[in-house]
Amino acid sequence: MTAAASMILRVPGVAIALVLLVAIFGVANPNFATLSNAQNILIQSTILLLLALPMTLIVMTEGLDLSMGAVLTLASIALAMTVVATGSSTLALAAALAVGLGFGVLNGCLVALLDIPPFIATLGTLGIAQGLSLVVTDGQSVVGIPRGLQQVYGGTFGGVPIPILIGIVAFAVFYLTLYRTRFGSYIFALGGNREALKLAGVADRAMLIATYVVGGTMAGFAALLMTARMNSAHPTAGIGLEFDAIAAVAVGGTSFERGNGWLTGTLLGVLVVGVLRNGLNLMAVPSSAQVAGIGALVIAALLVDGLRSRA
Amino acid sequence: MTATDAGPLRRGLSGEATQFAARIAAALAVCIVLSLLSDAFLTTSNLLNVLRQTALLFLMASGLTLVILTAGLDLSVGANIGLSACLAAVAIKSTGSPWLGVAVGVGCGSLIGLLNGLLVTALRVPAFIATYGMMWLILGATYSYMGGETVHGFPPAFRQFGSGYFLGIPIPIYMMILFLLLGTLFAQRTVWGQQIYAIGANPVAARLSGIPVQRRLVLVYVVSGAMAGLASLILLARVNSAEADIGEHFTLPAIAAVVIGGTSLFGGSGTIVGTLAGALILTLVVNGMNLLQIKASWQPLVTGVIILLAVWFDIRARRSGE
């Protein structure tokens, strides 16, 4: 093999996918490759990033959280109802975080204490969160979000849109946590080497619960951006968001059964999903076809991962 | 010989008789409670309605039972029902032939099952993630294809599948009995059925003893897809209209019926008749909620709680058995 070929092989697939997508949309649509659209993509991808970062950790423990979209929705409803009732944004954010935290604890306990397989435990809590959203709102939107709260999504700080700042901070915190703290190394061990963790006297179940709690809490926090963006809360608003997050994690190269994760890959995966959605939007492709495209993307990513693990 | 020396199959079967009895008792208990709470429960029309709904849920869940027996999962069941129903609806509307519709529905379901089976065997990733990607791919395809349209009004001959009667009993109930017998015979009395249990109980041992594991796995996903396609036709014939979201809300109840019925998510133990009991219990609960005028928005919540409880009981039973 020539040096050039081996170099190309070492470039991660997600980076190639991102460059290809940008090139294709750039050629196909003159409005794509503009500075303001690039900024749009980053802003729109923030909510996804807030879900995909903890999802990466959860997948690394050989887990999954199918309830994130539904929990985000319920948290968004809690946030909107609180701010409409009390006028306090702080109290509203606290309500959203409490919903997220509560479901995170529930998911974590179901998985770590009762040993229910993660995909079925979080499928059950997905049903619970979705049902609660419908029950408390009676299927209606919650409107009347004050202007100050909308600024969280639409405003800027020092000339930089606030969602982009939130995304940068979140990525930095997760990066440092995963690669620089003891909790991070426990997460690597939870996926690949849980027995060793147990033998080393680490409370492996507590660590596993903590991973799901991080996921739920981030979903609660993402609800803040979602509500500010939509200027309302709707009981079906977040349905399927967990799929975009799982897609970003899969495309980013985190393996679903070998416990090795790559946070930078997830960031690139989020951008792949974001660029794909934005580019298809510009070309007026309906959202349903976008979902089919992302489904195909996930299966392609799994195929590549499967082929690689064999090679 | 101690209990642990018995093969996984024998231990499973002996336990399953008591398990099944427990489920029938639970269903009866729900019936007694409901008949006390509502005068409308113990009427012929309501009971036939319950059985008809049970039949629909059972058909969806029966193929899924085989998948879960292999320790797999098919999260694309609801999406599959949606696409199969929509394609069948368009086929019937444009040609007027019910039988072409049946062929399209079952064919579409089987094809999706085949794709799932090939993905699961080729990818070597957990089945839930492969079928989860497939679920969204199909949902997107269905919504794009339908473009918000509704197809409705089918010929009476086709509508018989879902709302017809024979000797005063709804036709779906006959289909439920037919597929209960076929499924049970296949699972308990054929070599392939026994191989499916063996794969779920211990895939490595199954492979080493010469069972063609990959081919049997493809088979169970095809059967699950075909049954979803068949169920989609009965659903279509009953509601007499097809929209892109027609199947979406059935994945959770179908999985619930299987796990309430005592089939273990960890593979190797469970029965088709158990899934029938599971479908009956879930349908009774939903029927009771309707009769007591509890809003339909409570249903996903209740189904979610029931799934979690059923899986938890299974895990506790397995632990105490070890």
Side-chain angles (χ1 to χ4, degrees):
Chain A
M1 194 186 291
T2 66
S6 78
M7 245 177 79
I8 288 171
L9 271 183
R10 245 180 283 153
V11 174
V14 57
I16 299 173
L18 186 58
V19 170
L20 275 180
L21 279 176
V22 169
I24 292 170
F25 286 127
V27 172
N29 195 309
N31 296 326
F32 178 79
T34 61
L35 207 59
S36 71
N37 191 49
Q39 192 176 340
N40 263 340
I41 294 176
L42 290 180
I43 294 175
Q44 287 162 1
S45 302
T46 310
I47 294 174
L48 181 54
L49 182 68
L50 295 184
L51 300 182
L53 289 171
M55 189 72 89
T56 309
L57 306 192
I58 292 171
V59 170
M60 284 174 69
T61 67
E62 293 177 8
L64 195 68
D65 187 352
L66 295 178
S67 71
M68 265 187 193
V71 169
L72 183 150
T73 306
L74 186 62
S76 163
I77 289 166
L79 184 139
M81 283 182 153
T82 310
V83 79
V84 168
T86 67
S88 159
S89 299
T90 318
L91 217 56
L93 178 61
L97 290 176
V99 167
L101 184 86
F103 270 89
V105 171
L106 180 60
N107 283 333
C109 290
L110 291 172
V111 171
L113 299 184
L114 303 186
D115 288 327
I116 296 179
F119 59 88
I120 207 83
T122 57
L123 190 67
T125 54
L126 180 161
I128 295 173
Q130 210 169 56
L132 277 177
S133 296
L134 286 169
V135 167
V136 296
T137 60
D138 214 6
Q140 305 297 312
S141 291
V142 183
V143 292
I145 311 294
R147 190 163 303 234
L149 214 123
Q150 295 169 33
Q151 285 299 309
V152 177
Y153 190 78
T156 58
F157 183 81
V160 185
I162 292 175
I164 295 182
L165 289 175
I166 292 179
I168 291 171
V169 171
F171 182 75
V173 169
F174 271 83
Y175 195 91
L176 292 176
T177 307
L178 185 60
Y179 297 109
R180 292 278 182 277
T181 68
R182 194 166 284 195
F183 177 60
S185 47
Y186 291 155
I187 285 178
F188 276 100
L190 274 175
N193 214 345
R194 200 167 161 188
E195 281 308 308
L197 203 59
K198 210 177 284 181
L199 289 176
V202 176
D204 59 323
R205 286 172 195 272
M207 291 298 149
L208 197 54
I209 295 174
T211 316
Y212 285 89
V213 170
V214 170
T217 311
M218 288 300 285
F221 183 64
L224 173 69
L225 283 176
M226 185 73 163
T227 319
R229 176 184 183 179
M230 313 267 291
N231 197 12
S232 67
H234 193 269
T236 60
I239 287 182
L241 270 179
E242 70 280 358
F243 174 60
D244 279 19
I246 290 168
V249 173
V251 172
T254 294
S255 164
F256 281 85
E257 55 175 359
R258 292 193 302 278
N260 44 7
W262 188 40
L263 224 43
T264 311
T266 295
L267 177 65
L268 294 174
V270 165
L271 289 176
V272 166
V273 174
V275 163
L276 190 66
R277 283 218 179 252
N278 175 279
L280 292 176
N281 270 336
L282 287 180
M283 294 167 74
V285 174
S287 151
S288 51
Q290 297 176 18
V291 168
I294 296 172
L297 197 69
V298 168
I299 289 173
L302 294 174
L303 269 173
V304 170
D305 188 52
L307 291 177
R308 249 196 226 152
S309 69
R310 240 175 262 190
Chain B
M1 194 162 86
T2 63
T4 43
D5 289 333
L9 220 59
R10 272 194 61 189
R11 192 176 52 198
L13 283 178
S14 61
E16 265 151 18
T18 40
Q19 266 196 2
F20 182 66
R23 264 132 198 113
I24 293 302
L28 280 176
V30 177
C31 284
I32 292 170
V33 171
L34 286 179
S35 58
L36 291 176
L37 288 175
S38 167
D39 294 334
F41 178 73
L42 272 184
T43 57
T44 315
S45 69
N46 185 56
L47 291 180
L48 282 182
N49 190 29
V50 165
L51 284 179
R52 186 182 1 223
Q53 297 287 350
T54 304
L56 183 62
L57 189 54
F58 169 73
L59 290 174
M60 291 170 186
S62 57
L64 183 61
T65 309
L66 295 182
V67 171
I68 295 182
L69 277 176
T70 68
L73 190 67
D74 184 356
L75 288 173
S76 70
V77 167
N80 186 340
I81 289 167
L83 184 61
S84 300
C86 287
L87 288 181
V90 171
I92 296 168
K93 268 310 233 193
S94 52
T95 67
S97 159
W99 292 109
L100 184 73
V102 171
V104 168
V106 176
C108 170
S110 311
L111 196 64
I112 292 172
L114 179 65
L115 281 177
N116 278 333
L118 292 178
L119 280 179
V120 167
T121 49
L123 288 183
R124 290 201 195 161
V125 298
F128 65 84
I129 192 73
T131 57
Y132 184 64
M134 185 58 97
M135 161 185 138
W136 287 98
L137 206 169
I138 302 167
L139 278 181
T142 312
Y143 276 87
S144 305
Y145 178 67
M146 296 300 280
E149 296 286 315
T150 304
V151 181
H152 61 91
F154 302 108
F158 177 72
R159 298 212 56 211
Q160 288 292 314
F161 285 121
S163 33
Y165 288 84
F166 180 71
L167 301 177
I169 293 173
I171 287 175
I173 296 177
Y174 292 102
M175 303 189 67
M176 172 174 82
I177 295 168
L178 174 68
F179 280 95
L180 172 66
L181 294 176
L182 283 178
T184 305
L185 278 178
F186 173 73
Q188 311 293 343
R189 292 273 177 269
T190 68
V191 175
W192 285 13
Q194 293 298 296
Q195 289 176 341
I196 287 168
Y197 277 94
I199 290 169
N202 191 337
V204 176
R207 187 165 49 81
L208 292 178
S209 62
I211 295 174
V213 174
Q214 307 285 70
R215 265 185 281 162
R216 292 300 168 269
L217 284 178
V218 172
L219 175 75
V220 295
Y221 285 93
V222 171
V223 171
S224 174
M227 291 309 291
L230 183 75
S232 83
L233 294 166
I234 291 166
L235 179 67
L236 186 63
R238 175 137 174 76
V239 300
N240 200 20
S241 81
E243 279 178 87
D245 68 349
I246 183 170
E248 233 165 83
H249 308 293
F250 285 111
T251 306
L252 205 57
I255 295 172
V258 178
V259 295
I260 297 167
T263 298
S264 168
L265 284 171
F266 303 96
S269 82
T271 55
I272 304 284
V273 71
T275 298
L276 176 61
L280 180 64
I281 292 174
L282 192 61
T283 308
L284 281 170
V285 170
V286 171
N287 179 257
M289 289 169 62
N290 286 335
L291 291 180
L292 300 176
Q293 290 172 335
I294 297 168
K295 280 196 197 114
S297 40
W298 283 95
Q299 281 170 19
L301 199 161
V302 171
T303 315
V305 172
I306 291 179
I307 283 192
L308 292 175
L309 286 177
V311 176
W312 181 48
F313 284 139
D314 171 46
I315 289 168
R316 273 189 25 173
R318 289 170 70 89
R319 272 198 194 144
S320 62
E322 271 163 14

